[in-house]
Amino acid sequence: MIVTDAEGNEHLMEILFTYVSPRNEKEFVFFYEVSNEEEVIVMEIKDDQTLADVEDEEDLNEAEEVFEAFQNKEE
């Protein structure tokens, strides 16, 4: 996918996986920039299909747990 940042720059991204929280039914996407596979980003997918920073502390903690489980599964 291509993500456009606040300055209008386009970045080629690879999606690792999406996740829907059973706690609040919010949808999250985990992805990384193709040129930097080591830095995984998680963002919330809003109803209008735009991406937003994850700001809620509980959501961040849950996303971290989900990503750790994903990493452990891959090893």
Side-chain angles (χ1 to χ4, degrees):
M1 79 175 165
I2 295 177
V3 173
T4 305
D5 65 21
E7 289 82 38
N9 301 311
E10 293 184 342
H11 303 270
L12 182 59
M13 304 292 195
E14 181 76 28
I15 296 174
L16 284 174
F17 64 96
T18 60
Y19 170 76
V20 177
S21 171
R23 182 176 53 82
N24 57 19
E25 298 186 9
K26 290 181 181 178
E27 187 173 9
F28 301 92
V29 60
F30 294 78
F31 60 96
Y32 60 90
E33 191 161 5
V34 172
S35 63
N36 184 8
E37 295 180 13
E38 297 299 314
E39 185 179 338
V40 175
I41 301 164
V42 61
M43 297 189 88
E44 181 180 349
I45 303 172
K46 299 303 234 178
D47 290 338
D48 63 358
Q49 299 302 301
T50 59
L51 300 177
D53 290 331
V54 181
E55 297 179 354
D56 181 85
E57 193 68 32
E58 285 185 66
D59 289 343
L60 284 171
N61 291 336
E62 183 177 339
E64 188 174 297
E65 290 175 14
V66 167
F67 185 65
E68 285 178 15
F70 173 80
Q71 286 183 304
N72 290 336
K73 180 182 171 190
E74 293 294 308
E75 293 176 353

